[in-house]
Amino acid sequence: TNTYAPVERLKALYDEAVQFPEVAGLSIGTRPDCAPEPVLDLIESYADRLDVWIEYGLQSAHDATLRDINRGHDFQAFADAVQRTVQRRIHVCAHVILGLPGETNADMLATACALAPMGLHGIKVHHLYIARNTAMESDYLAGRVEVFTAAGYVKAACDFLEQIPPDVAVQRLMGDTTTTGVLLAPAWPETKGEVLRNITEEFRRRGS
């Protein structure tokens, strides 16, 4: 078997995506345990002419949480992938979910503090939401999982981002489902735009 066949398939996909002259960048979302050196070599090869990003899904720096939500990797896998990637001509973005089951405010701040010194270029943050027909739906309906109020999320997001270096681009502060009828909770009366404005106003109130 050809051990480089997966890389070759990726190259075919990336080449198809960037063949158009108006394409200025390539952003790849993946798991931190799916970035061996040959794959990073391939992705870096596009940096000669494109703005290249890898977005690694982390969600939490706590291994107990990662096990509970069935991520299939630990924090060390993420740290290793980031360390190997930031040395290259590749921008790195981390994905985090605030309000995961069992996590306290201190746990969420610990995730922020773990990410702060890693040399990230971007971060995407959103609150936990419960989608229908998922494993977490039954836990939520049984009262074993809580979700943020909009006001609670504003505070948690600001607390979290105050720990992140100011040169890290915040690429997302809200997440939502894309299919009507899928979202079970939280059902906030505030719109997405209103929550984002409230986060901005909270930062202004704090002077941060």
Side-chain angles (χ1 to χ4, degrees):
T1 59
N2 183 351
T3 59
Y4 290 92
V7 174
E8 292 171 356
R9 287 198 292 272
L10 288 175
K11 185 177 188 305
L13 291 171
Y14 299 158
D15 285 348
E16 181 179 3
V18 304
Q19 66 178 310
F20 305 99
E22 62 269 30
V23 172
L26 180 65
S27 183
I28 299 158
T30 189
R31 296 168 54 93
D33 53 347
C34 294
E37 293 302 312
V39 170
L40 295 181
D41 289 341
L42 169 66
I43 294 170
E44 187 179 25
S45 71
Y46 294 93
D48 291 335
R49 58 191 177 95
L50 297 169
D51 187 27
V52 177
W53 286 79
I54 293 183
E55 302 185 14
Y56 287 126
L58 171 64
Q59 319 316 343
S60 171
H62 302 283
D63 287 345
T65 300
L66 298 179
R67 286 192 297 271
D68 287 346
I69 64 174
N70 198 29
R71 281 295 299 173
H73 64 78
D74 58 13
F75 178 71
Q76 183 53 45
F78 171 85
D80 173 68
V82 170
Q83 189 272 332
R84 291 184 294 107
T85 308
V86 296
Q87 298 177 7
R88 298 168 175 265
R89 294 172 298 159
I90 302 172
H91 296 101
V92 179
C93 177
H95 289 217
V96 175
I97 298 174
L98 301 183
L100 287 167
E103 291 209 347
T104 64
N105 289 337
D107 292 329
M108 289 179 270
L109 289 180
T111 292
C113 291
L115 294 176
M118 297 184 73
L120 298 173
H121 304 94
I123 191 164
K124 291 186 176 181
V125 182
H126 70 80
H127 61 290
L128 175 70
Y129 61 79
I130 310 299
R132 298 185 187 278
N133 301 316
T134 62
M136 207 172 287
E137 176 186 19
S138 59
D139 289 334
Y140 173 76
L141 294 175
R144 294 189 293 269
V145 175
E146 298 181 0
V147 294
F148 279 119
T149 63
Y153 179 64
V154 167
K155 179 182 182 303
C158 291
D159 290 346
F160 184 93
L161 290 177
E162 283 179 338
Q163 312 305 315
I164 300 298
D167 59 347
V168 176
V170 180
Q171 297 184 2
R172 181 177 66 198
L173 277 172
M174 289 280 291
D176 49 34
T177 57
T178 57
T179 305
T180 302
V182 169
L183 179 65
L184 177 63
W188 293 341
E190 296 88 348
T191 66
K192 186 174 182 177
E194 288 170 339
V195 175
L196 293 175
R197 285 194 295 273
N198 290 342
I199 289 173
T200 299
E201 289 304 315
E202 177 63 12
F203 277 128
R204 287 177 177 154
R205 186 188 70 79
R206 298 182 182 196
S208 59

